[in-house]
Amino acid sequence: MSQKIYVGNLGYSIDDSALSEKFAEFGTVQSSKVIIDRDTNRSKGFAFVEMSSAIEADRAINALNGTEFGGRAMNVSEAKPMAPKSSY
């Protein structure tokens, strides 16, 4: 079963493929997505990576959390489910 990882404090020059390559060292990356600001078309500095198993995800989290990538120390953790949006 796949597991989603949150990656924060990313350097703004990091793209999906660079992120995927970095996490591929720890297992099979099913997807990687750097979140882009729709107004500026620039990275918001965080991303999500989906690994093929929880074991691979845990290995990547433990190895990469706090390490430098793109000039900044990454915050890597298990992704939390998205909170439901309230309607006004």
Side-chain angles (χ1 to χ4, degrees):
M1 181 174 190
S2 66
Q3 183 165 348
K4 208 170 217 182
I5 300 170
Y6 167 80
V7 185
N9 202 35
L10 272 179
Y12 295 112
S13 63
I14 303 300
D15 61 11
D16 295 344
S17 62
L19 189 64
S20 184
E21 284 179 31
K22 184 73 168 174
F23 279 79
E25 299 171 24
F26 304 97
T28 304
V29 175
Q30 292 186 321
S31 67
S32 63
K33 182 68 180 158
V34 174
I35 305 305
I36 304 294
D37 183 290
R38 72 179 98 154
D39 294 330
T40 64
N41 204 28
R42 190 176 149 201
S43 168
K44 287 189 170 188
F46 70 96
F48 294 96
V49 176
E50 191 171 0
M51 303 290 289
S52 64
S53 75
I55 293 169
E56 292 173 348
D58 288 341
R59 203 173 344 168
I61 290 167
N62 292 329
L64 295 175
N65 188 36
T67 61
E68 190 175 312
F69 186 49
R72 300 174 82 179
M74 294 185 291
N75 297 322
V76 184
S77 62
E78 184 178 335
K80 309 266 187 283
M82 198 163 128
K85 293 186 179 189
S86 61
S87 58
Y88 287 85

